[in-house]
Amino acid sequence: MKHIAKAAFLLAVMVAFSACQKTIEYKQHQTALSDFTFPAKTYGDADFEITPPTSNSPEPFTYTSSNSNVAIVFGSIIKIKGAGITTITATQKASDQFTQMAISGDFKVSAVKTTLSNFPAINKLTTDADFTLTAPKSISKGAFTYTIADPTIATIKGDKVTIKKAGITTIKAEQAASGNYAAGAIEATLTVEAPPAAPGTMVDVDGNVYKTIKIGNQTWMMENLKVTHYRDGSAIPKIEDSGAWRLTNDGAYCSYDNSTTNAKTYGLLYNWFAVTDAKKLAPKGWHIPTQAEWQALYNYIGGTREDGEKLKETGTTHWVDGLRGSNTTGFTGLGGGGLVFSSTGVFDSKGFDAYWWTATSKDATNSVYVDLYVKGYFEFQTGYIRYGLSVRCIKD
């Protein structure tokens, strides 16, 4: 009987143990992982510790990286090796109460921003030969390409620059992405000027050469301006239709009777908007004279209306009457007339008057100009800002 009782006891213990095992297996929970993200990093950043995922299990994590060229993992520390993307996997082992579980997240390492330097402004003359650009300083090995904002001033083929005309533009150097370094760009200003004028002359941005003369303490052009571009090289609109001329609020030019022959002889006619444009009508080193500067010239030659004859060309080549014209100053005023919308037509007074804008405004719609009359009279007049008049420049 004792043996039978002992056997029954052992059987009961085994049944109880088995039941206990089933209870433990039944209570093991599914591990839930979430919130596995990484901060933004750039190649060259320091090692950093992984922030473990959110988990309902207390068990520790192990980590692996799918791309050792981007990052490797030591314990819970990530060491950046290069730009790119790798997958970091966090694995949490099983326990009596929780299942094993893993979660992955992409870790992106950005390329280093490429900083370019040593790409200075370039100054050239219209007569200069082609030249080679010197690449900017960079830590990247990426290839450079070059572009120019205004190909009418210069063109670029590879790294060779060919000058076309005077003006101001920008050259952009762009470096391609390479390895762990992102693409970069830098710009430099290219200024192209006409060659320095010979003594007693000056040159505009188009390459037109003008004679100059010193009168008193002032140096004046001896010819009327005929430039078709502003100082920065941008084009001045040419308007030959009188209706369009009346309506424009932009700088514009034309020639008397829209004649190229008149343009060569008397220069071009400009509206007030061109005279005052911020891009500068006058060549570098020169400006449009103010009324006060014209007054200084007037005072120097004598200070009376009749003293204007000292500014007037002699003879009848460009005036209808050769009387009262000594040109003793060398100023050489020609009777070029202007676009003044008179009762006789759009253009008027050729051979009778020389009209020159001053840089002085009278009011919102009128400005001061100089009238040199055929009789040698010098007078200040007030005219509509939409007139087309000649321009003489004075040295700065």
Side-chain angles (χ1 to χ4, degrees):
M1 289 295 291
K2 288 182 179 181
H3 292 292
I4 294 173
K6 185 176 181 180
F9 174 75
L10 290 175
L11 179 62
V13 170
M14 291 175 65
V15 170
F17 179 76
S18 176
C20 183
Q21 271 193 321
K22 290 181 181 178
T23 301
I24 292 172
E25 291 174 0
Y26 177 78
K27 288 184 178 181
Q28 190 178 40
H29 300 291
Q30 181 80 17
T31 298
L33 303 180
S34 62
D35 300 328
F36 191 44
T37 59
F38 303 93
K41 292 292 181 179
T42 300
Y43 175 71
D45 285 350
D47 300 351
F48 68 98
E49 187 167 3
I50 298 172
T51 300
T54 300
S55 176
N56 58 347
S57 169
E59 296 301 314
F61 285 96
T62 58
Y63 301 97
T64 59
S65 170
S66 66
N67 188 346
S68 59
N69 291 323
V70 176
I72 57 177
V73 182
F74 294 103
S76 62
I77 302 297
I78 289 182
K79 183 178 183 63
I80 294 171
K81 302 295 288 184
I85 297 176
T86 184
T87 300
I88 303 296
T89 300
T91 303
Q92 193 170 33
K93 71 176 184 178
S95 67
D96 291 342
Q97 298 182 13
F98 293 93
T99 60
Q100 177 173 305
M101 189 59 63
I103 187 172
S104 297
D106 286 339
F107 172 48
K108 181 179 179 181
V109 178
S110 298
V112 177
K113 181 180 178 181
T114 301
T115 301
L116 305 179
S117 61
N118 290 9
F119 196 51
I122 304 168
N123 295 287
K124 293 289 180 179
L125 300 177
T126 53
T127 53
D128 285 344
D130 296 356
F131 64 96
T132 302
L133 293 169
T134 300
K137 184 178 179 180
S138 174
I139 58 175
S140 170
K141 297 184 183 298
F144 279 100
T145 57
Y146 302 94
T147 55
I148 193 160
D150 188 348
T152 67
I153 295 174
T155 57
I156 298 179
K157 186 175 182 180
D159 59 358
K160 299 290 191 301
V161 182
T162 301
I163 301 298
K164 294 295 185 180
K165 69 172 187 179
I168 300 173
T169 186
T170 55
I171 293 176
K172 186 175 185 179
E174 295 180 275
Q175 189 174 31
S178 176
N180 295 316
Y181 298 95
I186 189 172
E187 292 185 349
T189 300
L190 170 64
T191 302
V192 181
E193 297 180 322
T201 62
M202 57 89 75
V203 183
D204 67 24
V205 71
D206 289 337
N208 298 309
V209 180
Y210 305 84
K211 294 179 181 179
T212 63
I213 189 73
K214 187 171 184 180
I215 305 173
N217 294 322
Q218 299 172 316
T219 300
W220 290 82
M221 291 170 53
M222 294 172 62
E223 306 167 58
N224 294 341
L225 194 66
K226 59 184 71 172
V227 72
T228 60
H229 293 80
Y230 291 110
R231 188 184 298 178
D232 67 356
S234 57
I236 306 168
K238 180 181 182 180
I239 300 179
E240 295 185 335
D241 178 76
S242 61
W245 183 281
R246 288 174 185 266
L247 293 175
T248 187
N249 291 318
D250 296 320
Y253 77 90
C254 66
S255 58
Y256 194 96
D257 282 339
N258 295 321
S259 162
T260 55
T261 300
N262 285 333
K264 291 178 182 178
T265 303
Y266 301 102
L268 297 176
L269 304 176
Y270 303 90
N271 63 13
W272 175 253
F273 303 109
V275 169
T276 58
D277 195 288
K279 295 189 285 292
K280 304 294 185 183
L281 180 63
K284 184 177 180 181
W286 295 73
H287 62 275
I288 312 300
T290 63
Q291 182 179 1
E293 288 173 311
W294 278 103
Q295 183 70 47
L297 174 64
Y298 178 80
N299 294 340
Y300 179 80
I301 62 177
T304 70
R305 181 182 70 165
E306 290 74 15
D307 287 318
E309 62 90 16
K310 299 173 185 176
L311 305 176
K312 178 174 173 278
E313 183 195 46
T314 60
T316 57
T317 303
H318 304 107
W319 295 94
V320 296
D321 187 337
L323 298 176
R324 295 193 55 77
S326 67
N327 196 32
T328 55
T329 61
F331 187 83
T332 317
L334 308 183
L339 191 161
V340 293
F341 306 114
S342 72
S343 59
T344 60
V346 174
F347 298 97
D348 197 19
S349 298
K350 181 171 171 282
F352 288 89
D353 294 88
Y355 300 129
W356 295 291
W357 282 119
T358 77
T360 302
S361 175
K362 183 70 173 179
D363 53 43
T365 57
N366 295 280
S367 296
V368 179
Y369 69 91
V370 170
D371 179 2
L372 181 63
Y373 184 49
V374 66
K375 292 184 178 181
Y377 298 164
F378 180 113
E379 295 179 331
F380 288 107
Q381 305 284 0
T382 299
Y384 190 32
I385 58 175
R386 298 183 189 278
Y387 282 175
L389 305 182
S390 300
V391 168
R392 284 285 180 104
C393 297
I394 188 171
K395 193 172 184 180
D396 293 349

